[in-house]
Amino acid sequence: MFYFINQSYIGGKMRKFTENDVTPEHIFFERRKLIQAMGVMGAASLIPNIAQANDDGRKVLSFAKDNNSQSLVLTPENKVIGYNNFYEFGLAKEMPAKYASAMKTEPWTLRVEGEVEKPMTFDVHQLMKQLPLEERIYRFRCVEAWSMVIPWIGFELNKLLALVQPTSKAKYVAFETLYDPETMPGVKNPFFGGGLIYPYVEGLTIEEAMHPLTLLSVGLYGKTLAPQNGAPIRLVVPWKYGFKNIKSIVKIKLTSEQPVTTWNQAAPQEYGFYANVNPTVDHPRWSQATERVIGGGGILGIKREPTLMFNGYEKEVAHLYKGLDLREYF
Ligand SMILES: Nc1nc2c(c(=O)[nH]1)N[C@H]1C(S)=C(S)[C@@H](COP(=O)(O)O)O[C@H]1N2
Ligand SMILES: [Mo]
Protein backbone atom coordinates (compact mmCIF):
# COMPACT_ATOMS: atom_id res chain seq x y z
CA MET A 1 0.00 0.00 0.00
CA PHE A 2 2.74 2.44 0.86
CA TYR A 3 4.35 1.67 -2.43
CA PHE A 4 1.22 2.82 -4.23
CA ILE A 5 0.76 5.90 -2.11
CA ASN A 6 4.26 6.96 -2.94
CA GLN A 7 3.87 6.18 -6.59
CA SER A 8 1.19 8.81 -6.64
CA TYR A 9 3.68 11.35 -5.34
CA ILE A 10 6.19 10.62 -7.99
CA GLY A 11 3.87 10.15 -10.93
CA GLY A 12 5.28 6.70 -11.57
CA LYS A 13 8.81 8.00 -12.01
CA MET A 14 11.71 7.50 -9.62
CA ARG A 15 12.89 10.85 -8.32
CA LYS A 16 14.37 12.29 -5.20
CA PHE A 17 12.16 14.07 -2.74
CA THR A 18 13.03 17.36 -1.19
CA GLU A 19 11.71 18.46 2.16
CA ASN A 20 9.32 20.95 0.61
CA ASP A 21 7.66 18.21 -1.41
CA VAL A 22 6.19 16.82 1.74
CA THR A 23 4.14 19.51 3.40
CA PRO A 24 1.13 17.88 5.03
CA GLU A 25 -1.17 19.73 2.64
CA HIS A 26 0.60 18.27 -0.34
CA ILE A 27 0.47 14.76 1.05
CA PHE A 28 -3.15 15.13 2.07
CA PHE A 29 -4.28 16.00 -1.43
CA GLU A 30 -2.07 13.46 -3.13
CA ARG A 31 -3.30 10.79 -0.79
CA ARG A 32 -6.92 11.74 -1.26
CA LYS A 33 -6.53 11.44 -5.00
CA LEU A 34 -5.00 8.03 -4.62
CA ILE A 35 -7.56 6.75 -2.17
CA GLN A 36 -10.41 7.93 -4.38
CA ALA A 37 -8.79 6.08 -7.24
CA MET A 38 -8.41 2.92 -5.21
CA GLY A 39 -11.82 3.27 -3.61
CA VAL A 40 -10.91 1.11 -0.66
CA MET A 41 -10.29 3.26 2.40
CA GLY A 42 -12.54 5.28 4.64
CA ALA A 43 -12.31 9.03 4.99
CA ALA A 44 -11.21 8.73 8.62
CA SER A 45 -7.78 7.58 7.56
CA LEU A 46 -7.23 10.92 5.84
CA ILE A 47 -7.27 12.95 9.00
CA PRO A 48 -3.84 13.41 10.57
CA ASN A 49 -4.17 12.14 14.15
CA ILE A 50 -1.85 14.63 15.79
CA ALA A 51 -3.94 14.74 18.95
CA GLN A 52 -3.79 10.95 19.31
CA ALA A 53 -0.04 10.63 18.80
CA ASN A 54 1.38 7.60 20.54
CA ASP A 55 2.72 8.57 23.95
CA ASP A 56 3.06 5.03 25.36
CA GLY A 57 6.01 4.01 27.42
CA ARG A 58 7.62 7.40 28.02
CA LYS A 59 9.26 7.42 31.43
CA VAL A 60 9.46 10.37 33.80
CA LEU A 61 13.01 11.79 34.10
CA SER A 62 14.75 13.74 36.86
CA PHE A 63 16.64 16.75 35.59
CA ALA A 64 17.72 20.30 36.43
CA LYS A 65 15.16 22.86 35.22
CA ASP A 66 16.14 25.41 32.57
CA ASN A 67 16.10 28.85 34.18
CA ASN A 68 17.46 30.59 31.13
CA SER A 69 14.74 30.15 28.53
CA GLN A 70 14.18 33.83 27.58
CA SER A 71 10.46 33.33 28.30
CA LEU A 72 9.94 31.44 25.04
CA VAL A 73 6.40 30.13 24.51
CA LEU A 74 6.46 26.32 24.41
CA THR A 75 4.91 24.43 21.50
CA PRO A 76 2.11 22.19 22.82
CA GLU A 77 3.38 18.69 23.59
CA ASN A 78 0.88 16.98 21.27
CA LYS A 79 2.36 18.94 18.35
CA VAL A 80 5.95 18.12 19.36
CA ILE A 81 5.19 14.39 19.46
CA GLY A 82 2.65 14.35 16.62
CA TYR A 83 4.08 16.56 13.84
CA ASN A 84 7.43 15.02 12.94
CA ASN A 85 10.01 14.41 10.27
CA PHE A 86 11.53 10.93 10.51
CA TYR A 87 11.62 9.65 6.94
CA GLU A 88 12.59 6.14 7.98
CA PHE A 89 8.91 5.93 9.00
CA GLY A 90 7.39 7.78 6.06
CA LEU A 91 7.25 11.28 4.62
CA ALA A 92 4.00 12.66 6.04
CA LYS A 93 4.17 14.51 9.34
CA GLU A 94 1.81 12.14 11.17
CA MET A 95 3.49 8.92 10.01
CA PRO A 96 6.38 8.79 12.52
CA ALA A 97 3.91 8.98 15.42
CA LYS A 98 2.02 6.05 13.92
CA TYR A 99 4.86 3.79 12.86
CA ALA A 100 7.98 4.55 14.92
CA SER A 101 6.71 2.62 17.94
CA ALA A 102 7.74 -0.54 16.04
CA MET A 103 11.39 0.46 16.57
CA LYS A 104 12.98 -1.39 19.49
CA THR A 105 14.62 1.35 21.58
CA GLU A 106 15.64 -0.70 24.63
CA PRO A 107 18.29 -1.95 25.08
CA TRP A 108 20.25 0.51 22.94
CA THR A 109 23.97 0.75 22.42
CA LEU A 110 25.83 3.80 21.18
CA ARG A 111 29.28 3.26 19.71
CA VAL A 112 31.74 6.19 19.82
CA GLU A 113 34.90 5.66 17.77
CA GLY A 114 37.32 7.10 15.22
CA GLU A 115 39.80 9.80 16.19
CA VAL A 116 39.52 9.20 19.94
CA GLU A 117 41.93 7.90 22.58
CA LYS A 118 39.28 5.62 24.11
CA PRO A 119 36.70 4.18 21.71
CA MET A 120 33.68 3.11 23.77
CA THR A 121 30.33 1.37 23.46
CA PHE A 122 27.71 2.85 25.78
CA ASP A 123 24.49 1.38 27.06
CA VAL A 124 22.35 4.49 26.55
CA HIS A 125 19.98 3.77 29.44
CA GLN A 126 22.99 3.40 31.75
CA LEU A 127 24.45 6.61 30.37
CA MET A 128 21.20 8.45 31.12
CA LYS A 129 21.59 7.45 34.77
CA GLN A 130 25.30 8.30 34.92
CA LEU A 131 25.34 11.77 33.38
CA PRO A 132 23.33 14.52 35.08
CA LEU A 133 20.38 15.51 32.92
CA GLU A 134 19.29 19.08 32.33
CA GLU A 135 16.40 20.75 30.60
CA ARG A 136 17.10 23.07 27.66
CA ILE A 137 14.26 25.09 26.20
CA TYR A 138 15.34 25.79 22.62
CA ARG A 139 13.89 27.22 19.46
CA PHE A 140 13.67 24.61 16.69
CA ARG A 141 13.60 25.70 13.03
CA CYS A 142 13.02 23.25 10.18
CA VAL A 143 14.45 24.10 6.76
CA GLU A 144 10.83 23.82 5.49
CA ALA A 145 10.18 27.15 7.30
CA TRP A 146 8.15 25.96 10.29
CA SER A 147 9.26 26.28 13.90
CA MET A 148 8.63 25.07 17.43
CA VAL A 149 9.94 25.75 20.94
CA ILE A 150 10.82 22.47 22.67
CA PRO A 151 11.77 21.72 26.30
CA TRP A 152 14.48 19.12 25.64
CA ILE A 153 16.18 17.06 28.34
CA GLY A 154 19.69 15.77 27.90
CA PHE A 155 23.36 16.53 28.37
CA GLU A 156 25.94 18.47 26.40
CA LEU A 157 27.60 16.42 23.64
CA ASN A 158 30.98 17.65 24.91
CA LYS A 159 30.34 15.68 28.15
CA LEU A 160 30.20 12.44 26.17
CA LEU A 161 33.19 13.39 24.00
CA ALA A 162 35.24 14.08 27.15
CA LEU A 163 34.80 10.39 28.09
CA VAL A 164 36.32 9.15 24.81
CA GLN A 165 38.98 11.89 24.51
CA PRO A 166 39.18 13.19 20.93
CA THR A 167 42.67 13.14 19.37
CA SER A 168 44.23 16.23 17.77
CA LYS A 169 43.21 14.79 14.36
CA ALA A 170 39.49 14.97 15.22
CA LYS A 171 38.12 17.83 13.06
CA TYR A 172 34.56 16.57 12.51
CA VAL A 173 31.97 14.44 14.25
CA ALA A 174 29.72 12.12 12.21
CA PHE A 175 26.46 10.64 13.54
CA GLU A 176 24.51 7.66 12.29
CA THR A 177 20.87 6.59 12.88
CA LEU A 178 19.77 3.02 13.43
CA TYR A 179 19.40 1.06 10.17
CA ASP A 180 16.62 -1.49 10.51
CA PRO A 181 14.60 -2.33 7.39
CA GLU A 182 12.41 -4.69 9.46
CA THR A 183 10.92 -1.92 11.60
CA MET A 184 11.55 1.05 9.28
CA PRO A 185 9.29 0.97 6.21
CA GLY A 186 11.12 3.93 4.67
CA VAL A 187 14.42 2.07 4.84
CA LYS A 188 12.94 -1.11 3.43
CA ASN A 189 11.16 0.64 0.56
CA PRO A 190 12.78 3.61 -1.19
CA PHE A 191 9.40 4.98 -2.28
CA PHE A 192 8.18 5.13 1.30
CA GLY A 193 11.50 6.60 2.50
CA GLY A 194 11.68 9.47 0.03
CA GLY A 195 14.56 8.04 -1.97
CA LEU A 196 17.09 9.03 0.70
CA ILE A 197 20.13 6.84 1.25
CA TYR A 198 20.03 5.12 4.66
CA PRO A 199 21.30 4.96 7.33
CA TYR A 200 20.64 8.66 7.91
CA VAL A 201 23.95 10.41 8.58
CA GLU A 202 24.73 13.88 9.90
CA GLY A 203 27.85 15.77 10.90
CA LEU A 204 29.30 18.75 12.74
CA THR A 205 32.69 20.37 12.98
CA ILE A 206 34.49 19.56 16.22
CA GLU A 207 34.02 23.18 17.38
CA GLU A 208 30.25 22.91 16.81
CA ALA A 209 30.18 19.56 18.57
CA MET A 210 32.03 20.93 21.62
CA HIS A 211 29.81 24.03 21.90
CA PRO A 212 27.84 24.11 25.17
CA LEU A 213 24.51 24.62 23.33
CA THR A 214 24.94 21.33 21.44
CA LEU A 215 22.87 18.71 23.20
CA LEU A 216 22.40 14.97 23.12
CA SER A 217 18.72 14.77 24.01
CA VAL A 218 17.16 11.77 25.76
CA GLY A 219 13.82 13.37 26.59
CA LEU A 220 11.36 16.23 26.24
CA TYR A 221 8.49 17.62 28.29
CA GLY A 222 9.79 15.87 31.42
CA LYS A 223 9.82 12.35 29.98
CA THR A 224 12.00 10.12 27.81
CA LEU A 225 11.74 10.70 24.05
CA ALA A 226 8.89 9.19 22.09
CA PRO A 227 10.21 6.99 19.26
CA GLN A 228 8.96 9.51 16.68
CA ASN A 229 11.23 12.17 18.24
CA GLY A 230 14.30 9.94 17.97
CA ALA A 231 14.30 7.76 21.08
CA PRO A 232 16.35 6.93 22.95
CA ILE A 233 19.00 9.52 22.00
CA ARG A 234 19.15 12.25 19.35
CA LEU A 235 21.13 15.36 18.53
CA VAL A 236 19.88 18.92 19.12
CA VAL A 237 21.82 21.85 17.63
CA PRO A 238 19.46 24.79 18.08
CA TRP A 239 21.12 27.26 15.67
CA LYS A 240 20.95 24.83 12.72
CA TYR A 241 18.09 23.65 10.50
CA GLY A 242 16.12 20.70 11.82
CA PHE A 243 17.64 18.10 9.50
CA LYS A 244 20.98 18.38 11.34
CA ASN A 245 19.20 17.12 14.49
CA ILE A 246 19.70 13.43 13.74
CA LYS A 247 17.50 10.92 15.59
CA SER A 248 17.93 7.49 17.20
CA ILE A 249 21.74 7.57 17.07
CA VAL A 250 23.69 4.30 17.18
CA LYS A 251 27.13 5.56 16.15
CA ILE A 252 29.28 8.65 16.59
CA LYS A 253 32.57 8.76 14.71
CA LEU A 254 35.22 11.45 15.03
CA THR A 255 37.01 12.05 11.75
CA SER A 256 39.70 14.18 10.15
CA GLU A 257 37.62 14.69 6.97
CA GLN A 258 34.19 16.28 6.57
CA PRO A 259 31.64 13.43 6.58
CA VAL A 260 29.17 12.86 3.74
CA THR A 261 25.73 13.69 5.15
CA THR A 262 22.30 12.48 4.03
CA TRP A 263 20.57 15.66 2.87
CA ASN A 264 23.71 17.25 1.51
CA GLN A 265 24.26 14.14 -0.58
CA ALA A 266 20.62 14.07 -1.74
CA ALA A 267 20.56 17.73 -2.90
CA PRO A 268 23.85 19.58 -2.31
CA GLN A 269 22.63 22.83 -3.89
CA GLU A 270 19.68 22.93 -1.45
CA TYR A 271 21.03 21.55 1.83
CA GLY A 272 24.51 22.60 2.89
CA PHE A 273 26.78 20.87 5.36
CA TYR A 274 26.58 23.83 7.76
CA ALA A 275 22.81 24.42 7.53
CA ASN A 276 22.93 27.32 9.96
CA VAL A 277 19.57 29.06 10.27
CA ASN A 278 19.94 32.26 8.24
CA PRO A 279 17.02 34.49 7.22
CA THR A 280 19.20 36.26 4.61
CA VAL A 281 20.11 33.15 2.62
CA ASP A 282 17.02 31.67 0.97
CA HIS A 283 16.50 28.08 0.02
CA PRO A 284 16.66 27.90 -3.82
CA ARG A 285 12.89 27.25 -3.89
CA TRP A 286 11.53 29.29 -0.98
CA SER A 287 12.30 32.17 1.38
CA GLN A 288 13.87 31.60 4.77
CA ALA A 289 13.00 35.10 6.02
CA THR A 290 9.99 34.00 8.10
CA GLU A 291 8.67 30.85 9.74
CA ARG A 292 5.29 29.27 10.49
CA VAL A 293 4.93 28.84 14.25
CA ILE A 294 3.48 25.37 14.86
CA GLY A 295 0.66 25.52 17.40
CA GLY A 296 1.06 29.28 17.53
CA GLY A 297 -2.60 30.13 16.91
CA GLY A 298 -2.96 33.14 14.62
CA ILE A 299 -5.40 33.88 11.81
CA LEU A 300 -6.74 30.57 10.41
CA GLY A 301 -4.21 28.84 12.66
CA ILE A 302 -1.27 30.25 10.71
CA LYS A 303 1.08 32.47 12.63
CA ARG A 304 4.28 33.65 10.95
CA GLU A 305 7.24 35.24 12.66
CA PRO A 306 10.50 36.60 11.36
CA THR A 307 13.34 34.06 11.40
CA LEU A 308 16.32 35.12 13.52
CA MET A 309 19.98 34.90 12.53
CA PHE A 310 21.40 31.60 13.84
CA ASN A 311 17.83 30.97 15.06
CA GLY A 312 18.29 33.50 17.87
CA TYR A 313 21.65 32.12 19.06
CA GLU A 314 23.85 34.61 17.21
CA LYS A 315 25.50 35.94 20.36
CA GLU A 316 26.53 32.44 21.40
CA VAL A 317 27.65 30.95 18.07
CA ALA A 318 28.55 33.68 15.53
CA HIS A 319 32.24 33.47 16.54
CA LEU A 320 32.37 29.91 15.18
CA TYR A 321 31.88 31.27 11.65
CA LYS A 322 34.08 34.38 11.70
CA GLY A 323 35.53 34.98 8.24
CA LEU A 324 33.32 32.32 6.63
CA ASP A 325 31.13 33.41 3.68
CA LEU A 326 27.71 32.18 4.86
CA ARG A 327 26.31 32.32 1.30
CA GLU A 328 28.92 29.91 0.08
CA TYR A 329 29.00 27.80 3.25
CA PHE A 330 25.22 27.60 3.79
N1 LIG B 1 17.19 9.75 11.34
C1 LIG B 1 16.52 10.86 11.03
N2 LIG B 1 16.73 11.98 11.74
C2 LIG B 1 16.06 13.13 11.45
C3 LIG B 1 15.14 13.15 10.35
C4 LIG B 1 14.96 11.95 9.61
O1 LIG B 1 14.17 11.89 8.65
N3 LIG B 1 15.64 10.84 9.98
N4 LIG B 1 14.49 14.34 10.03
C5 LIG B 1 15.14 15.58 10.45
C6 LIG B 1 14.29 16.76 10.24
S1 LIG B 1 14.11 17.29 8.65
C7 LIG B 1 13.73 17.45 11.28
S2 LIG B 1 12.87 18.88 11.02
C8 LIG B 1 13.83 16.93 12.66
C9 LIG B 1 12.45 16.83 13.26
O2 LIG B 1 12.52 16.49 14.63
P1 LIG B 1 11.19 16.29 15.47
O3 LIG B 1 10.29 15.42 14.67
O4 LIG B 1 11.60 15.67 16.75
O5 LIG B 1 10.60 17.67 15.65
O6 LIG B 1 14.46 15.66 12.75
C10 LIG B 1 15.59 15.52 11.91
N5 LIG B 1 16.25 14.25 12.19
MO1 LIG C 1 13.40 19.50 8.78
Side-chain angles (χ1 to χ4, degrees), residues 32-298:
R32 184 168 64 180
K33 253 193 292 183
L34 174 84
I35 287 163
Q36 281 170 350
M38 291 174 72
V40 289
M41 290 168 77
S45 65
L46 296 172
I47 299 157
N49 64 344
I50 281 169
Q52 304 142 36
N54 184 3
D55 192 24
D56 292 349
R58 291 176 61 206
K59 299 194 179 78
V60 174
L61 291 169
S62 346
F63 55 91
K65 281 283 265 175
D66 186 349
N67 298 314
N68 189 29
S69 64
Q70 312 154 324
S71 55
L72 294 169
V73 179
L74 299 186
T75 303
E77 186 172 8
N78 67 339
K79 295 284 198 292
V80 178
I81 68 172
Y83 184 92
N84 301 101
N85 277 332
F86 199 164
Y87 281 13
E88 286 88 335
F89 297 101
L91 308 187
K93 296 289 187 281
E94 74 278 13
M95 283 179 175
K98 279 190 184 165
Y99 302 119
S101 56
M103 177 171 58
K104 190 167 178 267
T105 57
E106 201 170 348
W108 191 277
T109 53
L110 170 60
R111 174 76 185 161
V112 189
E113 61 181 34
E115 289 296 344
V116 295
E117 301 293 350
K118 296 183 175 162
M120 287 172 91
T121 302
F122 296 95
D123 174 326
V124 166
H125 296 87
Q126 281 299 114
L127 196 63
M128 283 164 65
K129 286 175 204 148
Q130 271 162 27
L131 292 178
L133 300 181
E134 51 177 311
E135 180 187 47
R136 294 285 178 92
I137 297 172
Y138 283 161
R139 301 168 188 277
F140 184 93
R141 171 63 157 78
C142 175
V143 75
E144 297 163 334
W146 53 263
S147 70
M148 297 189 187
V149 172
I150 302 177
W152 300 108
I153 295 160
F155 48 84
E156 291 174 11
L157 172 59
N158 64 52
K159 298 274 197 304
L160 183 77
L161 296 181
L163 299 176
V164 297
Q165 302 173 16
T167 70
S168 59
K169 287 194 209 141
K171 301 281 184 265
Y172 295 91
V173 184
F175 305 82
E176 201 174 295
T177 295
L178 176 71
Y179 179 90
D180 183 14
E182 290 313 307
T183 57
M184 295 172 154
V187 170
K188 189 164 193 158
N189 182 331
F191 291 101
F192 196 63
L196 292 178
I197 296 167
Y198 297 104
Y200 194 100
V201 179
E202 259 307 335
L204 299 172
T205 67
I206 190 77
E207 293 80 16
E208 294 170 336
M210 297 302 286
H211 194 284
L213 286 177
T214 302
L215 205 68
L216 278 174
S217 169
V218 298
L220 58 81
Y221 264 109
K223 293 190 268 180
T224 53
L225 292 172
Q228 58 267 32
N229 292 107
I233 190 161
R234 61 91 58 86
L235 184 68
V236 178
V237 192
W239 71 93
K240 291 182 180 284
Y241 289 122
F243 68 87
K244 299 296 288 184
N245 295 236
I246 181 171
K247 297 178 168 181
S248 304
I249 302 167
V250 291
K251 192 160 106 183
I252 298 179
K253 186 171 184 180
L254 288 84
T255 60
S256 55
E257 305 286 327
Q258 185 176 305
V260 173
T261 54
T262 297
W263 276 105
N264 185 239
Q265 172 174 251
Q269 67 294 347
E270 303 196 358
Y271 309 104
F273 175 79
Y274 285 89
N276 293 318
V277 176
N278 187 338
T280 71
V281 176
D282 288 338
H283 186 277
R285 291 180 290 115
W286 62 88
S287 166
Q288 295 292 23
T290 66
E291 60 203 47
R292 185 163 55 93
V293 181
I294 301 295

